[in-house]
Amino acid sequence: DREVLEEAFQVKVDAETRIEPKDWMPDAYRKNLIRQMSQHAHSEVVGMLPEGNWLTRAPSLKRKAILMAKIQDEGGHGLYLYSAAETLGITRDQMYDQLLDGSAKYSSIFNYPTLNWADIGAIGWLVDGAAITNQIALCRCSYGPYARAMVKICKEESFHQRQGYDIMMVMAEGTAEQRRMAQDALNRWWWPALMMFGPHDAESAHTSQSMKWKIKRSSNDELRQKFIDATVPQAEYLGLTIPDDQLAWNAAEGKYDWGEIDWDEFRNVVNGNGLCNRERLETRRKAHEGGQWVREAALAYAEKRQQRAAS
Ligand code: 3HC
């Protein structure tokens, strides 16, 4: 009966056995993964928009080619994650509908505007850096398709992070105006990047269950701290200042003490009232409508091919 099945499932998870699509799993495990994986995919796809804003205005052909490659990667990550989520029984159309009708979440970070080229550097360095911290842990997720998707995605994210940090380095070592832009971008992206890791563990709805099922291998606060400890020295190397006057190295505990996130801002953005939420969803809705004829043509073509094959 259900008790026995759930116990056997937990024994498998505790023994680090990967759960595969055809394995029995508790409905709540399936539901939790569909929620997290589909929202992860939405984040990748919406994440293309802030960067797309600077594609035609990149400062050189080289930077434009790099940004084009990064944006294509993000789109690919989205499709990869939608496919992995489909193995749990949700359809692609259902996931698209959930994003477009506003019922599904995507990462708050993509609701901030990209005001100038330094933002593209800060996004690569901080946003993709935070994503890597989060996604390295997900490579050990108990659900096979998600963990395997993460391995490929993490390789590409490392390139994203490096190219972003390279942009910041060039600007931090550039003219006074470039240094000012780099510092201004760090000021605007630092706290929203910390919000990517989610609420504090004490306020996190899913962390304890997700840790038990090894969907999550580290808590929100643990990953956030890891990101801070790795990123502060990188800012120092650039000669830039982290916008947190409570940031201080805690030698006794071997980590940085830091201030506090503005949780009202976090809730505001997650609930749809950030600077760019409406614009992002509007853009996705228009793109989806614009793609309707392509989907219809592809279906019509597939039907014709099927009829030809059958005749
Ligand atoms: N933005 C939007 N929603 C957020 C959020 C954020 N920064 N942080 C938390 N939330 C939501 C959660 O989705 C959950 O809402 P839900 O129940 O409706 O889904 C609620 O706030 C409570 O948060 P929890 O901590 O309880 O939720 P999780 O256990 O799911 O933890 C998470 C949140 C750490 C983001 C986790 O979902 C996760 O690891 N997701 C996969 C990674 C991901 O989505 N990364 C964000 C995008 S970065 C990226 O992909 C693009 C890259 O290429 C740059």
Side-chain angles (χ1 to χ4, degrees):
D1 70 352
R2 172 161 302 283
E3 287 268 297
V4 169
L5 281 168
E6 287 190 353
E7 246 160 62
F9 177 80
Q10 193 60 51
V11 165
K12 267 177 88 173
V13 168
D14 293 345
E16 298 288 334
T17 311
R18 277 273 155 83
I19 306 300
E20 296 300 335
K22 295 204 176 355
D23 295 344
W24 184 88
M25 59 185 84
D27 293 345
Y29 177 84
R30 182 186 302 277
K31 202 162 152 272
N32 189 348
L33 277 168
I34 287 177
R35 170 194 68 85
Q36 175 163 333
M37 291 166 71
S38 59
Q39 292 182 156
H40 195 162
H42 298 329
S43 302
E44 299 281 3
V45 169
V46 175
M48 296 165 78
L49 299 175
E51 297 175 330
N53 184 26
W54 285 89
L55 206 46
T56 56
R57 293 182 274 172
S60 71
L61 188 57
K62 178 181 157 230
R63 292 294 184 193
K64 180 188 281 201
I66 292 172
L67 184 55
M68 175 83 83
K70 175 177 187 322
I71 294 172
Q72 278 173 332
D73 283 350
E74 308 295 10
H77 296 172
L79 298 181
Y80 218 70
L81 287 163
Y82 283 131
S83 305
E86 282 175 317
T87 63
L88 288 160
I90 188 170
T91 69
R92 189 71 62 102
D93 286 340
Q94 283 169 321
M95 289 187 269
Y96 287 161
D97 291 347
Q98 288 168 2
L99 173 66
L100 298 176
D101 70 17
S103 57
K105 291 183 171 69
Y106 59 89
S107 189
S108 50
I109 191 74
F110 299 122
N111 292 307
Y112 290 82
T114 43
L115 303 181
N116 59 57
W117 181 253
D119 288 44
I120 298 301
I123 286 176
W125 173 36
L126 299 174
V127 175
D128 290 77
I132 291 174
T133 309
N134 167 284
Q135 290 167 164
I136 292 278
L138 285 170
C139 290
R140 295 189 299 120
C141 167
S142 55
Y143 188 56
Y146 196 21
R148 290 189 290 273
M150 283 300 113
V151 174
K152 166 184 154 56
I153 287 176
C154 283
K155 290 195 174 76
E156 292 170 341
E157 293 289 5
S158 313
F159 145 64
H160 300 170
Q161 197 271 355
R162 288 254 55 79
Q163 64 83 35
Y165 193 66
D166 181 55
I167 291 173
M168 294 305 277
M169 222 155 22
V170 166
M171 296 190 81
E173 289 162 6
T175 63
E177 177 52 14
Q178 283 177 311
R179 257 199 310 283
R180 190 199 60 73
M181 287 169 72
Q183 181 62 58
D184 167 57
L186 174 54
N187 293 344
R188 283 184 288 107
W189 289 95
W190 175 254
W191 291 103
L194 296 190
M195 294 176 198
M196 288 171 66
F197 293 95
H200 280 310
D201 297 348
E203 281 84 48
S204 166
H206 300 287
T207 290
S208 54
Q209 185 58 58
S210 290
M211 298 276 281
K212 193 159 173 279
W213 279 331
K214 298 190 179 175
I215 294 173
K216 245 183 200 176
R217 305 297 291 223
S218 303
S219 74
N220 298 358
D221 288 325
E222 282 165 0
L223 289 178
R224 193 176 1 246
Q225 186 64 50
K226 216 169 158 163
F227 171 71
I228 292 169
D229 292 345
T231 309
V232 171
Q234 293 174 346
E236 284 169 355
Y237 180 79
L238 294 173
L240 298 179
T241 311
I242 300 265
D244 175 2
D245 52 17
Q246 293 177 60
L247 189 75
W249 178 246
N250 179 331
E253 293 185 29
K255 65 182 182 67
Y256 281 93
D257 293 331
W258 53 282
E260 184 50 290
I261 286 169
D262 176 347
W263 294 108
D264 290 339
E265 177 180 333
F266 173 79
R267 270 183 291 280
N268 218 9
V269 179
V270 171
N271 294 333
N273 303 314
L275 289 169
C276 299
N277 295 58
R278 282 177 196 72
E279 176 191 335
R280 299 289 183 238
L281 277 190
E282 211 25 59
T283 310
R284 286 304 316 145
R285 286 185 190 118
K286 276 212 192 74
H288 195 67
E289 278 150 31
Q292 180 66 26
W293 70 271
V294 178
R295 292 192 292 277
E296 282 163 4
L299 285 173
Y301 178 66
E303 260 154 47
K304 261 201 208 129
R305 276 188 44 174
Q306 245 168 7
Q307 280 155 13
R308 261 206 302 277
S311 57

